């Protein structure tokens, strides 16, 4: 009886809620007299007419999508701070064509892409009624972007603006990149003679510079674009598929002529949906090789770090072949390669498998097939699904040791997923309690993240300590061109905590022997000037990538911005033995490469003691 009463009560409540919703929907909404598109947009990120009904808004259809179309005023208001265009959301394909002159009635809404609060909103007319007045009308002339037209300011936001940009109260297109592109939202724009500064990636995004990058500073040695400092916006523009598809392209490829598209916002940044696109001309960029000479000098030790991007036995043979060629040909078969993103033997299958011995064999066999030497593979298998990465894949750090040049792995039993490696002093200098072993695996710094792998080796009678790392990624950070400024990065504190753990291990080792030969290397997911690297080096270690010229300091390209996130750090006793440092470029810049990271290689001269 009580249950029946509760059921009737719930049914009555649902009926009352439905009636209230219907009454609210039927309530009259505020209306605006006939307005123009630029009045809808206003000089702000949020429309001054948001929530209001508008009638008979005139404009020209400039682009059609499967859920709406772009509407641009035929004349505009002549003001550079207000957009003359708006998106009309029809939910399904609208019965309009490019060049139609239309009148649109509907409600003004601010749409937040992906329902992500970190994204800026896009002004739309929703629930529209559309009347076609004429067809075949000329389109509004596009705004030229670049040095011969309009260029975005260097700063992401104007001085003094922080927090929610949409509520900042200051709108300055001449001082803020975000405001600059807001003033062009939905409008036709033109880029002349674009040059590609990053491979097509993500949701089909292709970053380019206008006018072949004329006048743009901070370029890479191979024609890319170095990431700007915090607070600054990259001068690149991002092309995405519109009426025409953006082609796969690599750094240095060109689009000579006029690229025309519509300014849009999604995925934390402004993009240009391409409507017309010139034919792509390849720039001819190819993978670098560190050396074509085989390793013959018995006193030279070559060490590399390489993120191989989720390798497992299920990997495509073509990718394995190209990874092997990278090791053999481009890196000249180093003595030691620390690899990141080694998946377990079942790959992404979430079946409880954690070991990656078969994965290691697949990779070392591919190296042999490519004409390389025999390598041995060492790892510590993680606990299932506790180290982050793709669910079920259990990515980890592995060590490849070349077996024919005197480098020997010191095997000590006891290493497992949960046992921490310790520094053990002895009469001949410190050694590791287990080898390989994991650094502080129980520390909360490594929650859902890869634990560092420490190993002890010998070369020419000298003891070498290696710590391979793969710090937490920046996923989950607020976008550089997002709603909240400056953007927050909760993963910064995680990487800094991880850096402190590894630094503590290094400090313990070097306290036991200041002359210890120690390398800390891997994908650290942060740059040389970051707090992460400051905590990690801490006056004890030197970041060798910083010895390169600035235009060569990069190993990864994200959104057309080249960054140094793969590092090799050396203890003081190793610094005087460095022969050369090289980031072997050619993966991060090239579409379809076997990895999205460039490997880094350092050679040392280590003579017998």
């Amino acid at each position: 009886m009580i249950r029946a009463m509760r059921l009737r009560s719930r049914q009555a409540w649902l009926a009352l809620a439905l009636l209230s919703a219907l009454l609210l929907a039927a309530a009259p909404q505020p209306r605006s007299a006939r307005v123009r598109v630029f009045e809808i947009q206003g000089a702000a990120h949020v429309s001054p007419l948001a929530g209001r009904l508008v009638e008979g808004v005139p404009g020209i259809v400039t682009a059609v999508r499967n859920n709406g179309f772009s509407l641009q005023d035929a004349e505009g208001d002549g003001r550079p701070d207000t957009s003359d265009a708006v998106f009309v959301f029809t939910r399904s394909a609208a019965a309009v064509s490019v060049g139609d002159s239309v009148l649109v009635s509907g409600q003004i809404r601010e749409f937040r892409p992906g329902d992500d609060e970190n994204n800026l909103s896009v002004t739309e007319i929703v629930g529209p009624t559309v009347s076609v007045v004429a067809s075949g009308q000329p389109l509004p002339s596009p705004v030229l972007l670049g040095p011969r037209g309009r260029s975005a300011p260097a700063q992401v936001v104007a001085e003094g603006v922080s927090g929610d940009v949409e509520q900042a109260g200051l709108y300055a297109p001449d001082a803020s990149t975000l405001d600059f592109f807001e003033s062009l939202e939905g409008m036709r724009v033109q880029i002349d003679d674009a040059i590609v500064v990053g491979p097509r990636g993500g949701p089909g995004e292709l970053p380019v510079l206008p006018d072949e990058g004329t006048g743009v500073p901070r370029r890479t040695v191979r024609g890319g674009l170095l990431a700007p400092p915090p607070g600054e916006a990259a001068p690149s523009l991002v092309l995405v598929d519109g009426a025409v598809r953006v082609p796969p392209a690599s750094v240095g490829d060109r689009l000579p002529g006029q690229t025309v598209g519509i300014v849009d916002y999604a995925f934390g940044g402004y993009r240009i949906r391409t409507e017309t696109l010139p034919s792509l001309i390849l720039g001819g960029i190819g993978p670098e090789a560190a050396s074509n000479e085989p390793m013959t000098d018995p006193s030279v030790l070559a060490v590399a770090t390489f993120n191989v991007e989720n390798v497992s036995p299920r990997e495509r043979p073509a990718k394995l072949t190209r990874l092997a060629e990278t090791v053999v040909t481009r890196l000249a078969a180093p003595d030691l390669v620390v690899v990141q993103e080694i998946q377990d033997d079942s790959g992404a299958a979430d079946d409880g498998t954690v070991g990656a011995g078969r994965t290691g064999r697949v990779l070392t066999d591919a190296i042999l097939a490519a004409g390389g030497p025999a390598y041995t593979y060492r790892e510590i298998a993680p606990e299932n699904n506790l180290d982050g990465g793709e669910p079920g894949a259990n990515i980890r750090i592995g060590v490849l040791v070349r077996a024919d040049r005197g480098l020997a792995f010191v095997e000590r039993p006891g290493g497992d997923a949960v046992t921490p490696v310790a520094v053990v002093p002895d009469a001949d200098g410190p050694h590791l309690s287990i080898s390989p072993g994991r650094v502080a695996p129980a520390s909360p710094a490594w929650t859902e993240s890869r634990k560092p792998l420490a190993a002890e080796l010998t070369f020419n009678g000298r003891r070498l300590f290696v710590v391979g790392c793969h710090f937490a990624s920046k996923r989950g950070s607020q976008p550089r061109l997002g709603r909240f400024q400056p953007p927050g990065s909760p993963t910064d504190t995680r990487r800094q905590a991880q850096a402190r753990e590894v630094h503590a291990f290094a400090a313990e080792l070097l306290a036991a022997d200041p002359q210890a030969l120690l390398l800390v290397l891997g994908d650290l997911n942060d740059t040389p000037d970051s707090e992460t690297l400051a905590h990690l080096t801490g006056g004890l270690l030197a970041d060798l990538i910083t010895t390169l010229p600035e235009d060569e300091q990069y190993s990864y390209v994200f959104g057309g911005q080249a960054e140094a996130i793969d590092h090799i750090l050396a203890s003081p006793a190793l610094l005087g033995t460095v022969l050369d440092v090289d980031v072997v470029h050619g993966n991060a810049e090239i579409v379809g490469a076997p990895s999205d990271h460039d490997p880094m290689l350092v050679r040392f001269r280590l003579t017998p003691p």
Side-chain angles (χ1 to χ4, degrees), residues 70-407:
S70 299
L71 180 72
Q72 184 163 339
D73 193 274
E75 300 172 353
D77 62 355
R79 293 176 54 183
D81 59 344
T82 57
S83 171
D84 296 331
V86 70
F87 185 69
V88 180
F89 178 69
T90 57
R91 194 173 299 275
S92 57
V96 296
S97 301
V98 172
D100 284 352
S101 174
V102 298
L103 297 174
V104 178
S105 301
Q107 187 178 35
I108 305 304
R109 180 186 72 170
E110 290 292 331
F111 168 69
R112 204 167 297 286
D115 198 27
D116 184 345
E117 67 173 4
N118 294 308
N119 281 330
L120 291 166
S121 64
V122 177
T123 304
E124 295 182 342
I125 302 177
V126 301
T129 300
V130 181
S131 300
V132 177
V133 177
S135 298
Q137 302 302 300
L139 302 183
S141 297
V143 175
L144 180 63
L145 301 180
R148 293 181 290 110
R150 293 184 62 187
S151 295
Q155 297 301 120
V156 175
V157 293
E159 185 177 353
V161 173
S162 64
D164 187 344
V165 171
E166 294 174 350
Q167 305 297 324
L170 175 63
Y171 177 74
D174 59 344
S176 161
T177 285
L178 297 185
D179 297 352
F180 173 85
F181 283 105
E182 170 65 28
S183 73
L184 294 168
E185 183 182 276
M187 291 181 63
R188 299 183 76 229
V189 294
Q190 176 179 317
I191 304 168
D192 288 348
D193 301 324
I195 188 168
V196 177
V197 291
R200 177 184 165 102
E205 299 177 340
L206 184 66
V208 301
L209 290 172
D211 293 283
E212 297 192 346
T214 300
V216 175
R218 292 180 51 80
R219 303 288 296 278
T220 72
V221 67
R222 285 159 60 88
L225 182 67
L226 292 172
E232 292 188 16
S236 51
L237 303 165
V238 177
L239 307 180
V240 296
D241 296 345
V244 295
R245 189 176 185 274
V246 175
S250 302
V251 169
D253 292 350
R254 297 183 296 115
L255 293 163
Q258 297 179 350
T259 297
V260 177
I262 305 294
V263 174
D264 190 21
Y265 183 92
F267 300 104
Y270 285 97
R271 306 116 55 83
I272 298 172
R273 292 184 174 271
T274 53
E275 298 298 308
T276 62
L277 198 65
S279 297
L280 184 74
I281 295 181
L282 301 182
I285 193 172
E288 285 184 339
S291 172
N292 291 322
E293 297 296 324
M295 294 289 296
T296 57
D297 190 331
S299 69
V300 174
L301 176 74
V303 177
T305 178
F306 189 15
N307 184 319
V308 293
E309 195 179 6
N310 291 315
V311 164
S312 81
R314 299 184 176 191
E315 190 55 77
R316 303 182 312 277
K319 175 175 175 177
L320 285 170
T321 298
R322 294 181 68 189
L323 289 174
E325 289 171 348
T326 299
V327 173
V328 175
T329 304
R330 297 176 55 207
L331 296 177
D335 300 293
L336 176 71
V337 186
V338 174
V339 286
Q340 302 88 47
E341 294 197 17
I342 295 289
Q343 294 189 343
D344 64 38
D345 289 339
S346 65
D350 196 357
D351 58 2
T353 300
V354 293
R358 186 175 167 221
T359 305
R361 287 193 300 274
V362 165
L363 186 55
T364 55
D365 286 350
I367 292 172
L368 276 173
Y375 281 90
T376 58
Y377 171 76
R378 294 292 183 271
E379 64 162 38
I380 295 289
E383 295 180 277
N384 190 41
N385 282 335
L386 292 185
D387 278 24
E390 189 174 6
N394 293 306
I395 59 172
R396 83 289 311 275
I397 299 147
V399 177
L400 298 175
V401 179
R402 184 168 169 171
D404 63 339
R405 283 193 15 92
L407 182 66

